[in-house]
Amino acid sequence: MTPAPSTSPSERAATSPQLLRRINVESVLDFAFGHEVFDASEVIAATGLTRSTALGVCAELTTRGWLVEVEDARAAGTYSKGRPARRYRLRVDAALVAALDAGEHHVVALVTDLSGAVRGRAEGRFGAQTAGRRLAVIRKTLDAAIADADGGLPIVTVVGIPAPVDASGASPDGDGFWRLMNPQLAKRLDGYGRIVVENDANLAVLAEQSRLGGEAESFAVLLSGERFGAGIMVDGHLLRGRHGGAGELRLLNLVDAVGSADGLGQLAREWGREAARSGKVKPKSPLAATAPEQLTAEDVLSAASENDPVATRIVERLGERLAQIAEILVSLLDVERVVVAGAIAAAAGPIIASAQRNLAENFYPPLPIVAASELGGDVVVLGAVQRALDEVRTDPLSLQIAL
């Protein structure tokens, strides 16, 4: 499900008898989400509503539990003449939302209030997976995060998964992995408010969009741990496709210079182990301190930072691969930035530097900026928080909050 296009409060406000009062109420509530404390005059300036309508809507939202009236301007020491204006703020504790990153191997759950402040967190691992076990672990982890928040059930729950997702929350049937990652979560994960299932890379894009602000309108986010997946924003719009498959990078299997959608983390680990098994790792190498089958991507990247020749060559190969993928995205979509995201991002600096050199040496302008996400391994779950709050802001009056 794609968030509604962003509009200003004045574009959404209803000022004619033909339009429902509901639109005015939602317009004022949308304004409240973006302001800590406000009065009717500020609402009027933002929405174009009349004073009587603005005051009436603020009173209604206060009665419904969305707003709370705070000390007036005179009591706050900011007003001295005439009748003091009533001042309001969003009641951020009126409800909770939940966000999950249900990846291939583990799940992270956050519960936040309506400001996005984290109230609860929990993590779990899937182990050997079946659809039933996956659903059970997701529920157990979500329940633990809710208990940690100590504030009741969420009104919206957003689940990010490594699979394409259509507008109904379903994944295509043509891939057994996709069916395992999404065992009909939209239908079976009941009891946690409105359920939204979304592709993990799309959620990462929302998180990065929030972080970057106006710096980039056309960019791609590459989740690049076990396998590559891209979330794509073009001209400020998230690309999805009919089946939610925009950004799926199975096409890399058809690109001779790349060969697969295996991610940077998986390849760093596998190439490091392969080098160790074949005797290419010298006894004094940092890689020699760990048994071949225990080597991780972090071990390889750490060894590269110490100028280990085997690890350095692996980094160069990964940089070439990343450059080729970035160029594919630029050629197809004209994005200006490619953000490497996920747990690998923190250690991917040498790979990114190699990719930038490779782009400059082998491809024509315009060349993208390749950068690491600053959101670390939580990029997907933070995007899920953003998506959950967007869901509340888009259709608030259909949701039940605590009075």
Side-chain angles (χ1 to χ4, degrees):
M1 182 174 181
T2 304
S6 176
T7 57
S8 70
S10 61
E11 289 174 318
R12 298 178 59 207
T15 56
S16 70
Q18 291 77 18
L19 297 179
L20 296 174
R21 178 175 177 79
R22 176 189 180 96
I23 301 176
N24 286 340
V25 171
E26 291 182 350
S27 178
V28 174
L29 190 53
D30 188 61
F31 175 83
F33 267 94
H35 297 77
E36 290 188 6
V37 178
F38 58 91
D39 60 26
S41 295
E42 292 170 293
V43 171
I44 292 165
T47 65
L49 296 173
T50 65
R51 176 167 292 276
S52 61
T53 299
L55 287 170
V57 170
C58 287
E60 180 178 345
L61 286 171
T62 301
T63 301
R64 291 189 181 208
W66 285 98
L67 300 183
V68 63
E69 191 170 350
V70 299
E71 60 183 3
D72 62 35
R74 181 174 293 163
T78 61
Y79 189 90
S80 59
K81 293 183 179 181
R83 184 177 180 179
R86 289 182 171 180
R87 302 165 77 237
Y88 305 88
R89 64 170 174 81
L90 180 70
R91 192 171 147 238
V92 297
D93 61 348
L96 299 174
V97 299
L100 295 94
D101 174 9
E104 182 177 354
H105 302 296
H106 77 287
V107 56
V108 178
L110 298 181
V111 174
T112 82
D113 63 22
L114 295 181
S115 74
V118 175
R119 299 293 186 88
R121 181 186 179 105
E123 300 186 27
R125 296 198 67 82
F126 294 115
Q129 287 199 64
T130 63
R133 174 167 175 75
R134 185 170 176 82
L135 180 63
V137 172
I138 288 173
R139 280 187 174 276
K140 181 179 179 180
T141 307
L142 180 52
D143 287 341
I146 292 170
D148 190 39
D150 193 27
L153 292 172
I155 57 173
V156 174
T157 295
V158 175
V159 187
I161 59 170
V165 182
D166 67 17
S168 71
S171 297
D173 290 332
D175 189 300
F177 176 78
W178 291 344
R179 291 197 302 273
L180 178 60
M181 293 299 100
N182 185 12
Q184 297 183 318
L185 292 172
K187 296 180 180 179
R188 298 173 66 189
L189 195 62
D190 56 326
Y192 301 98
R194 181 178 299 171
I195 304 299
V196 178
V197 183
E198 179 60 280
N199 172 260
D200 54 1
N202 286 349
L203 294 176
V205 163
L206 295 182
E208 287 296 329
Q209 183 187 43
S210 179
R211 182 182 72 85
L212 292 170
E215 290 184 32
E217 286 199 337
S218 296
F219 65 97
V221 174
L222 280 176
L223 292 180
S224 46
E226 290 303 301
R227 54 178 50 82
F228 278 112
I232 301 164
M233 187 77 66
V234 174
D235 297 333
H237 299 286
L238 177 65
L239 299 188
R240 295 187 53 82
R242 180 179 178 183
H243 301 102
E248 285 296 323
L249 293 179
R250 290 183 299 172
L251 67 88
L252 297 178
N253 297 331
L254 307 176
V255 179
D256 288 342
V258 180
S260 76
D262 294 343
L264 299 177
Q266 178 178 336
L267 290 174
R269 179 180 67 244
E270 294 304 320
W271 289 348
R273 292 177 179 181
E274 179 184 316
R277 287 193 297 263
S278 64
K280 295 179 182 178
V281 173
K282 304 301 181 184
K284 294 184 178 181
S285 166
L287 298 176
T290 304
E293 298 309 316
Q294 300 300 317
L295 282 173
T296 66
E298 289 74 18
D299 292 331
V300 174
L301 296 177
S302 175
S305 70
E306 299 179 35
N307 298 315
D308 177 78
V310 170
T312 298
R313 177 53 190 150
I314 290 173
V315 164
E316 289 299 318
R317 290 175 65 190
L318 292 172
E320 292 168 7
R321 189 183 189 86
L322 179 57
Q324 289 155 353
I325 295 169
E327 182 61 21
I328 289 170
L329 293 171
V330 172
S331 298
L332 289 175
L333 302 163
D334 196 23
V335 295
E336 58 190 316
R337 183 186 299 255
V338 175
V339 180
V340 176
I344 193 68
I351 300 173
I352 291 171
S354 172
Q356 291 280 199
R357 290 193 301 270
N358 195 278
L359 283 166
E361 292 170 2
N362 297 301
F363 298 98
Y364 295 104
L367 301 176
I369 298 169
V370 182
S373 170
E374 297 179 8
L375 300 178
D378 277 350
V379 63
V380 172
V381 75
L382 292 175
V385 170
Q386 185 67 48
R387 179 69 177 83
L389 295 175
D390 286 346
E391 186 76 13
V392 175
R393 294 181 68 162
T394 299
D395 190 18
L397 299 186
S398 67
L399 301 167
Q400 186 65 42
I401 63 170
L403 295 177

